[in-house]
Each structure stands twice: as C-alpha cells, then as structure tokens.
Amino acid sequence: MLRAHSIERNNIMARRTNRRSFLKASALTGVGYWVAARSQPAFAKSPNEKLNIAGVGVGGQGAGDLANMAGENIVALCDVDENRAGGTFEKFPKAKRYNDYRKLFDEMADKVDAVVVATPDHMHAPISMLAMSLGKHVYCEKPLTHTVGEARRMAKMAADKKLVTQMGNQGHSNPGSRSSVEIIQSGDLGEIKEVHCWSDRPMGWWPQGVDRPTDKQDIPKGLHWDDWLGVAPERPYNEAYLPFKWRGWWDFGTGAMGDMACHVCDIAFWSLDLRDPTSIDCEVSGLHAETAPLWSRIVWEFPKRGKLPPIKLHWYDGGQQPSKDLFEGEEIRGNGSLFVGTKGKLYSPDPYGASYILLPRAEFKDYKPPKQTLPRLAEGFSHHTDWLRCVKAGDQNLASLSNFGYAGAMTEVLLLGNLSVRTGKRIEWDAKNLKVTNVSEANAFIDPPYRKGWELAI
C-alpha cells in the first residue's frame, strides 16, 4: 500500500519519454536478438545508456541476481535484513538504501526503469504488482508467487501493461533444456501420457512437518521484522523462520514445490503445454497446519490439449521417487524428470532438463536429434542479460522465453499441488473461475487476504 505522500501515478507513467526512446533505439540497433534455427546474427557492443535498476531483497539470491546486472545503474536497494544485505550495500555504495519497498517506490519511482525481486515467496507478488502498476519492468525469482490467485493476477498485469518480465528459472535459458523440449515435441518418443518429476528437497535444507514455535525471542539488531512479515499474518519473531528456514512455513514459503518444481517441471510444462488441470491428488507424510509435510507425492491430471493426449504429471519430494522399474537400470538422481512415451523415454538426471538419456539405450544408440525449432540465446547473453536487452528494446519477446505469461501459468498449476497437500484431499479444479469445486476448504488457500495495513492500493 502506497503511503499518503506517494507521488502521482500519472506523472510516473509519463516519465522521461525521450530517455526510454533512446534506450529502445539503442538496444534494437546494437544487440543481436537471439540465435534461431541455426542462424548466425552479427553482434555489436551493448548500448551506452544504462538502465536504472532497483533491487528488493538483495541478500542471498538477490545478491547473485544483481551481480549479473552490475553493468547497469543500480540506483536503489531494499532489504529488511541489513546484516544479510550488507555485502550488497557495500558493493553498490551509490545506491539509495531502504528497508520498506513502499518507501522506495514513493521516493524513487520516477528514477527507476526496472526492478529485481528476490524476497521470500510471500512478498514476490506484492512487490512485483506494485512495481508493474507503476510501469516498471520486473525480474522476479521463482516461484513467481506465493498463491494461485497471485499467479493469475501477475500474468494479467504484465500483459495489460505490456511490460518486459522474467522469472528466475534460469534453466529455461539452457540450450540443453531446449534440446530436451525439441525431442519431446518431435514425436520421436511417441505420445507422452505420463511424466515424473522429483526433488530431494527439503531433506537437509530446511525443516518441515513441525509445529509453530511458541517461545518469545528478541529481534536481532538490523532486522526489520514487521517489514519482513509484510503481507503475511502477524507472527512474533523466531529464529525458526530465518534466514532460509522460511521456505517450509505456509505463511511465507511454498515448500519443495516452490523451491524446485519451477526448475524440475519446466520442460514438462514447456514441451507439453500443461495448463488447466482437471484434478490434483496427493499422498503426504501427514497434515500440518503450519508447514509443508516431510514428503509428498502429487498427481495432476490434464485433459486433451489440441492434438496432445490426456496426461498425468507426477511430483515427488522429501526422498520419494518414481518406481525404479521405469528407469531400465539407470541411477535415479536427487532431482530429475522422466517422460514416458509410447515409443521411448527421456530421462533427465538434473534439475533443469539440460542433459538427457533416451531409453531404452540400445534402441536410441544411433539417434539423431531433430532440427532446432527453439531460439538459443545469442553468444554472451544469459537469462538475466536477455531480460535487460529486452527492457532496453521495449520488446516483450524474450529469447529466454520465461515471461510472466508463461511463468504465471506454470506457477499457478504447481501451487494447486499445495492446495491438495494442505487439505490432504483430491481436488477438482475449475480454471476459468479459479475455484476448487469439490473441497470447499481448499478455496481459502487460493487467494488469502493480506495483513491489514499491507493491502495493495493499485
């Protein structure tokens, strides 16, 4: 919620037209777009004019994101934990510092072109939505949102505002991942009616299946706890939540699903157009009101999609894995995916689908991959810098292809898995009306209200 002294939005949206035009023209003439279908474009130096970027959540993953954008003007930094963000503050001493992102936008909106969001899950949408409402391009870490409803709204606002957006699932830009997608889409494996994706999270990474702490603790110096809570329900500070242990708590995180599924399931959503499941079912280690369970097994059922047949997507976490019988003697790694077709299987033993094994090995020993159909990033570009290029060009056609339209749809479907997990029941989904039709209590988790005083006034 913007404060009373917020600057007028009309002035913000009309900011510095001449500068934006220069950025667009420079980017279009100075940078090759991407390598498509084996073409070899000419390259030139990057535009001289730099973007003004604000970072929100700049310790941890956010520090890494900004490091990949350090060639731009980092003009504002916001973090609720001054200690954790200290290294980033020192790295960009000219950037103005904030603890409350609302104040950043109040004071700096007309000086910022784009925003990088790398906070805990529950603050992704509030910050990104406010930034987009002010006409800012956004790079947001995965999972794109904390709730199903937020995912739908994020995708819509990005499209309505015609902004350049990107989710931080960097494996989407890996050329190996694109090769896997091309094989699946080629038909060489036959019809795919079954996909298995799994992760070793949360084992050894963060606690789950525990009760909420009850002891009272002092808030560490430098931690702005109320700002850290943000839109989440009021909770007293406890070290059980920080620095990365928030991931398993429903108030703040989305469990293993939010941490890894946007990576591991990416090539499945990409290659098979997985949208709008009809039902989601699960098995879990036990129901916990406060955290995700120790482990879960989830199944989404998708109807026929054009020429693609109905399909089931299976998810496993917390040490659960698909049956070994499916792998024909191959070792099952800690994170991976398996596509089961009528003519063969593709097994990717890494989180991004960037490497693959075709099964049975003997039948595919002389296999020649299909012709390239997906773009590859131009030489020297990454998931981050491709977003920067498109922001400067005013072009929504990211070569990295993970804008909020794609990422929002994937996040929405994945987070439906958590609705099943939280109720312990099979749910039936009405995608058009954003509603669970058979388990009424699940609807409370689709779009829960923000904490009083933190509602978005957009």
Side-chain angles (χ1 to χ4, degrees):
M1 180 176 68
L2 284 178
R3 294 176 177 146
H5 62 274
S6 178
I7 55 180
E8 296 180 5
R9 280 194 179 83
N10 289 339
N11 291 336
I12 296 169
M13 299 300 290
R15 62 157 175 64
R16 295 179 304 186
T17 302
N18 291 338
R19 180 174 183 273
R20 182 158 54 183
S21 298
F22 175 82
L23 285 168
K24 179 175 181 178
S26 299
L28 286 171
T29 58
V31 181
Y33 276 89
W34 34 261
V35 183
R38 306 186 193 281
S39 63
Q40 296 294 328
F43 296 100
K45 292 182 179 180
S46 299
N48 291 326
E49 178 113 0
K50 298 179 179 180
L51 293 171
N52 290 340
I53 292 178
V56 185
V58 299
Q61 183 63 38
D65 289 334
L66 288 178
N68 284 290
M69 303 177 189
E72 308 301 322
N73 292 326
I74 310 301
V75 298
L77 299 172
C78 179
D79 203 290
V80 298
D81 189 338
E82 296 176 19
N83 298 314
R84 187 165 171 78
T88 306
F89 287 158
E90 292 178 4
K91 186 174 181 179
F92 302 104
K94 294 182 180 179
K96 193 165 183 180
R97 302 179 187 180
Y98 295 90
N99 304 123
D100 186 333
Y101 71 94
R102 300 169 300 180
K103 186 175 181 181
L104 184 157
F105 288 122
D106 281 352
E107 297 181 358
M108 298 282 290
D110 62 341
K111 301 177 180 66
V112 170
D113 299 308
V115 180
V116 179
V117 180
T119 63
D121 299 352
H122 70 294
M123 295 304 296
H124 284 183
I127 298 166
S128 298
M129 289 287 286
L130 180 53
M132 289 192 292
S133 77
L134 298 172
K136 310 308 171 188
H137 307 282
V138 178
Y139 183 105
C140 182
E141 271 303 329
K142 54 80 193 168
L144 189 63
T145 65
H146 189 225
T147 70
V148 171
E150 289 173 335
R152 183 72 64 91
R153 289 197 301 277
M154 286 267 280
K156 184 178 186 304
M157 180 171 279
D160 289 348
K161 294 284 188 178
K162 296 180 172 57
L163 296 168
V164 180
T165 56
Q166 176 92 301
M167 184 173 76
N169 58 332
Q170 65 273 14
H172 202 85
S173 293
N174 191 299
S177 301
R178 299 184 178 215
S179 295
S180 295
V181 171
E182 288 164 347
I183 291 171
I184 294 164
Q185 292 183 333
S186 72
D188 291 347
L189 302 176
E191 288 190 334
I192 308 294
K193 298 183 179 181
E194 183 180 332
V195 180
H196 301 262
C197 299
W198 63 95
S199 173
D200 56 7
R201 308 299 199 271
M203 299 171 64
W205 291 83
W206 62 81
Q208 290 187 183
V210 296
D211 296 327
R212 188 193 303 174
T214 58
D215 58 313
K216 185 177 181 180
Q217 297 180 352
D218 293 333
I219 299 173
K221 185 178 180 180
L223 175 63
H224 299 256
W225 179 242
D226 188 66
D227 292 330
W228 190 95
L229 284 174
V231 302
E234 186 74 39
R235 296 282 183 263
Y237 166 78
N238 194 285
E239 63 183 2
Y241 304 131
L242 299 176
F244 186 60
K245 292 174 282 188
W246 53 263
R247 178 70 76 186
W249 297 92
W250 291 130
D251 284 343
F252 317 120
T254 46
M257 181 66 62
D259 187 54
M260 291 303 295
C262 289
H263 293 315
V264 179
C265 299
D266 185 27
I267 61 171
F269 279 83
W270 194 356
S271 61
L272 298 169
D273 192 25
L274 298 184
R275 290 174 178 252
D276 302 339
T278 53
S279 68
I280 305 96
D281 204 354
C282 73
E283 297 176 65
V284 298
S285 62
L287 295 181
H288 297 271
E290 304 294 345
T291 71
L294 294 174
W295 59 262
S296 63
R297 300 164 65 101
I298 306 171
V299 182
W300 293 259
E301 293 191 27
F302 296 87
K304 184 177 180 181
R305 301 156 329 283
K307 295 182 180 180
L308 297 173
I311 190 171
K312 290 185 178 181
L313 171 65
H314 300 256
W315 168 262
Y316 314 75
D317 62 42
Q320 302 293 300
Q321 292 181 333
S323 170
K324 293 181 179 179
D325 295 341
L326 292 169
F327 291 82
E328 305 187 29
E330 299 292 334
E331 177 188 2
I332 307 177
R333 301 288 180 85
N335 296 269
S337 56
L338 178 73
F339 295 74
V340 181
T342 54
K343 297 179 182 179
K345 304 173 185 177
L346 184 147
Y347 167 37
S348 179
D350 74 75
Y352 308 113
S355 62
Y356 61 84
I357 302 168
L358 300 183
L359 303 173
R361 280 184 181 263
E363 293 184 18
F364 287 93
K365 63 182 178 66
D366 297 322
Y367 178 75
K368 294 182 179 179
K371 290 184 179 180
Q372 182 178 307
T373 58
L374 295 171
R376 303 312 196 247
L377 268 66
E379 183 180 352
F381 282 89
S382 68
H383 199 66
H384 295 86
T385 57
D386 183 58
W387 174 71
L388 296 172
R389 171 188 64 79
C390 287
V391 170
K392 293 179 182 182
D395 178 15
Q396 294 178 283
N397 297 312
L398 290 157
S400 41
L401 301 176
S402 192
N403 63 30
F404 288 0
Y406 171 83
M410 177 171 66
T411 301
E412 178 180 318
V413 173
L414 290 174
L415 293 183
L416 286 172
N418 280 343
L419 268 61
S420 180
V421 167
R422 295 187 74 169
T423 59
K425 298 177 181 179
R426 178 183 181 274
I427 62 174
E428 296 174 1
W429 182 240
D430 177 355
K432 181 179 180 180
N433 295 302
L434 211 67
K435 183 179 181 180
V436 176
T437 60
N438 67 321
V439 181
S440 59
E441 61 265 34
N443 288 306
F445 303 126
I446 293 173
D447 210 7
Y450 291 161
R451 184 163 60 111
K452 186 176 181 180
W454 287 83
E455 303 91 345
L456 287 182
I458 57 176

